[in-house]
Amino acid sequence: MWGGGARGAAARGAAARGGRGAAAAGAGAAWAAREHRLRDGACLEVLEAAPSGALAEAGAASRRPPLVFLHGSYHAAWAWENFMGRFAARGFRCYAPSFRGHGASAPPRVPGDALEGSLEGHATDVLDLLEGLGEAPPVLVGHSFGGLIAQLVATWGDDRPQARGAAGPAPPPGSGGRPQLAGLVLLNSVPPTGNGAMTKRFLLTRPLDAWRVTMGFIRKTFADSAAECRYLFFSDDLPDADLERYQALIASSAQPGTKLLDLRRLRGSLPIQAGACDLPPVLVVGSADDRVVDRDGILETAAHFGLPEPVFLAGAAHDSMLDTRWDDAADALEAFLDGLPPP
């Protein structure tokens, strides 16, 4: 269910704020902020970009799957501004929701509860959104912990648990409980076993890095220090003006006291089960200079989904969809989309 409102207008202003990302996304690219009303009455902020340019005018958009982008911790729908501009200009309809407690979306599910989400809760919200779009099967693109949520959405069956306080959408007919997806793209994604093994590797091989990453996410050091924000998310050559803009957006994306996931409860939801699933085509992309999700984590994810190897981006950091060479990540996604079977 779609609607409008002041929250959507505020988010639109934040997402459209000037900077390299908006300019680089493509001339004439624009998006609108909407609200998707969930079954429990809460609303998610959703940015939507309609197909534009020559491909849209030629009718190619009707033959292209919609793209749904899922952000990671301390980000919101705005983080996909580059990709939404580029792919809308190539004839794809694009959607980017902000998870509960992020951007202009509703706060976490249960008033008075810990202001941290659950993997199942966010996945249920995504399923509700996908059902509400009422379009052809989409390609689901998830970044970081948003990639872990995307993995659960793509692999859940009829036995999926109902998130606390939400009925959840009914499984699509004939899907075995899983949504019908045209593709699954995991960008710098947390692997299907979570981040525990990565943390242990960092502690054993890079203890100082492990400390900086841990403090970055627990104490939000990126909010007060441009150097720490760059260290966690971006390459050394990202222009300072872009870093300043992104730092402000990252620092304000999670509502006060809110975290995307409760890492203690997360252990009980893992690992993601994919072996027996009839999955859509999958793309796994990692960054050579990612300080948050390491190479072994990306290789684990690719192997889990039966891929011979992932795509590794040279000279890219964790936020590869915003970083200096974000177009390399977009190129990898575009090549994947070009190789999908026709609808």
Side-chain angles (χ1 to χ4, degrees):
M1 182 182 298
W2 293 92
R7 291 184 307 196
R12 181 168 60 252
R17 200 177 302 163
R20 174 184 177 276
W31 50 84
R34 302 279 190 267
E35 285 184 339
H36 173 72
R37 187 171 298 277
L38 299 163
R39 294 195 175 198
D40 65 356
C43 288
L44 294 185
E45 170 196 25
V46 181
L47 300 185
E48 176 184 356
S52 60
L55 289 175
E57 295 173 2
S62 63
R63 302 187 298 274
R64 296 178 181 267
L67 308 180
V68 178
F69 298 102
L70 305 181
H71 67 82
S73 296
Y74 298 114
H75 290 62
W78 64 266
W80 296 103
E81 59 184 11
N82 292 338
F83 276 36
M84 291 183 73
R86 171 165 168 166
F87 287 100
R90 284 159 171 75
F92 293 90
R93 185 171 295 277
C94 301
Y95 301 93
S98 293
F99 290 116
R100 294 189 196 229
H102 293 73
S105 289
R109 192 178 302 276
V110 181
D113 196 6
L115 298 181
E116 298 175 336
S118 71
L119 190 64
E120 291 83 3
H122 289 309
T124 296
D125 289 347
V126 173
L127 286 163
D128 191 306
L129 171 64
L130 297 181
E131 184 186 54
L133 295 181
E135 297 192 27
V139 173
L140 194 61
V141 184
H143 174 255
S144 196
F145 267 117
L148 191 63
I149 294 167
Q151 292 174 47
L152 183 58
V153 170
T155 58
W156 246 355
D158 289 322
D159 59 343
R160 69 173 183 257
Q162 297 302 315
R164 180 172 48 179
S175 69
R178 286 178 292 280
Q180 295 176 323
L181 298 176
L184 173 65
V185 179
L186 305 174
L187 188 65
N188 304 92
S189 177
V190 173
T193 56
N195 63 349
M198 288 192 301
T199 302
K200 291 178 182 177
R201 284 196 298 272
F202 288 175
L203 287 170
L204 290 173
T205 61
R206 296 156 42 195
L208 293 180
D209 287 332
W211 176 257
R212 288 182 72 177
V213 171
T214 301
M215 290 300 99
F217 282 91
I218 292 178
R219 297 187 178 178
K220 297 178 63 175
T221 57
F222 55 78
D224 299 319
S225 168
E228 291 304 301
C229 185
R230 185 185 295 278
Y231 173 83
L232 287 171
F233 300 117
F234 301 108
S235 296
D236 291 341
D237 61 353
L238 182 76
D240 290 342
D242 295 335
L243 177 65
E244 181 180 0
R245 174 175 177 258
Y246 290 143
Q247 181 188 11
L249 288 168
I250 293 170
S252 61
S253 286
Q255 296 164 17
T258 300
K259 295 179 181 178
L260 184 64
L261 291 168
D262 182 340
L263 296 183
R264 294 163 296 182
R265 285 194 291 169
L266 180 62
R267 297 190 190 98
S269 303
L270 301 174
I272 302 296
Q273 302 297 327
C277 296
D278 183 15
L279 290 171
V282 180
L283 171 68
V284 175
V285 180
S287 297
D289 299 331
D290 194 334
R291 297 185 176 99
V292 178
V293 178
D294 65 0
R295 181 180 181 86
D296 286 346
I298 298 298
L299 290 171
E300 176 194 330
T301 302
H304 189 79
F305 288 96
L307 301 181
E309 59 183 18
V311 173
F312 279 105
L313 305 173
H318 186 63
D319 274 14
S320 57
M321 70 288 192
L322 294 168
D323 203 16
T324 315
R325 285 159 289 278
W326 67 266
D327 51 330
D328 290 346
D331 286 345
L333 174 56
E334 185 165 0
F336 173 79
L337 295 173
D338 288 344
L340 291 177

